[in-house]
Amino acid sequence: MSNNQFTRDYYENGIETGISCYTNYRWIPELTIPMAMTMIDYLGITPKHSILDFGAAKGFLVRAFRLLHRQAWGCDISQYAIDCADSLTQEFLKTSTPESIIPFDKFFDIIIAKDVLEHIPPNDLGSILKLMASRGKRLFVVVPLGENGKFIVGAYHLDKTHLIAESMEWWVAKFNEAGYSLLSADYRIPGIKDNWARFPQGNGFFLLESI
């Protein structure tokens, strides 16, 4: 996975250029703040908990958590996306590098990886998951699901950086191999990715705890 893939075109002209599902990727508070509140309720996040948004892009989820008085930080491989964050969120974001994938010197109560892990080359996934297990107590993952390399939600194939289209069982096995115990696995959490609710098994929602 290369930073060179997640450029301005990826976020602003992805549909037009045929490289992603994004066009004019922007802060929409009426969508992101309720989603952050859903995560707070579902995960039991209190103001004392520390959160890392792994793959934070422009920092919108971090911004929403901060507005809801939660301690959130974020990292992303895209320097372009990090540079686009608003001035108040910028101080809580850092760019991930191959040498420092989680560029914060702290242990988090929960790491959130929403729409991120499917971008990671399968051969690198295990090491990334083990790293996250060593840096966070719990991990909340949201990924698109597939079968035999094909996504259940066909639109996910529009993103050329999507590399993993596998089943819920496949993901659970990978999490177990990386040292996580499974607390829950669901196809649907109302309030998160509601726009794909018409595909009952199109997405996986996993809550995990490092052993």
Side-chain angles (χ1 to χ4, degrees):
M1 186 169 57
S2 168
N3 177 45
N4 295 331
Q5 295 175 287
F6 302 99
T7 60
R8 183 181 188 280
D9 274 342
Y10 180 86
Y11 290 100
E12 317 303 346
N13 308 296
I15 294 176
E16 297 87 339
T17 57
I19 59 175
S20 80
C21 304
Y22 297 119
T23 291
N24 188 23
Y25 184 63
R26 64 199 183 280
W27 167 244
I28 307 177
E30 62 269 28
L31 295 180
T32 308
I33 293 175
M35 181 180 70
M37 195 67 237
T38 295
M39 291 183 181
I40 287 170
D41 290 341
Y42 183 79
L43 301 170
I45 300 173
T46 74
K48 293 182 179 180
H49 288 138
S50 58
I51 310 161
L52 174 67
D53 184 13
F54 183 81
K58 296 183 181 182
F60 298 149
L61 186 57
V62 172
R63 181 177 181 178
F65 277 132
R66 289 276 167 180
L67 288 171
L68 294 167
H69 308 292
R70 296 307 191 271
Q71 300 181 63
W73 289 262
C75 59
D76 198 277
I77 197 172
S78 172
Q79 187 64 55
Y80 168 79
I82 295 291
D83 289 344
C84 286
D86 72 286
S87 57
L88 295 179
T89 310
Q90 190 78 240
E91 65 178 293
F92 304 108
L93 302 175
K94 289 187 178 181
T95 306
S96 298
T97 67
E99 297 76 29
S100 183
I101 295 170
I102 297 180
F104 295 97
D105 186 21
K106 66 188 285 98
F107 186 84
F108 295 91
D109 292 302
I110 187 153
I111 297 175
I112 294 172
K114 176 184 174 292
D115 298 320
V116 175
L117 299 186
E118 67 273 16
H119 297 270
I120 295 175
N123 290 340
D124 296 335
L125 180 62
S127 60
I128 297 293
L129 288 173
K130 288 178 182 177
L131 172 63
M132 289 195 287
S134 71
R135 300 294 301 278
K137 181 179 180 181
R138 289 192 171 184
L139 174 64
F140 180 56
V141 172
V142 182
V143 288
L145 298 177
E147 198 71 48
N148 299 319
K150 291 187 177 181
F151 290 112
I152 293 168
V153 179
Y156 288 141
H157 287 287
L158 296 175
D159 192 321
K160 303 308 181 187
T161 68
H162 283 171
L163 301 175
I164 302 176
E166 297 292 347
S167 67
M168 181 171 280
E169 294 74 18
W170 185 93
W171 282 102
V172 169
K174 290 297 180 183
F175 297 139
N176 288 338
E177 289 171 10
Y180 282 104
S181 61
L182 180 68
L183 301 180
S184 65
D186 298 285
Y187 289 111
R188 178 95 172 88
I189 296 178
I192 307 175
K193 297 180 77 69
D194 289 340
N195 54 319
W196 299 117
R198 65 187 184 277
F199 297 93
Q201 297 185 349
N203 294 282
F205 301 81
F206 304 90
L207 180 57
L208 309 136
E209 188 166 79
S210 58
I211 299 172

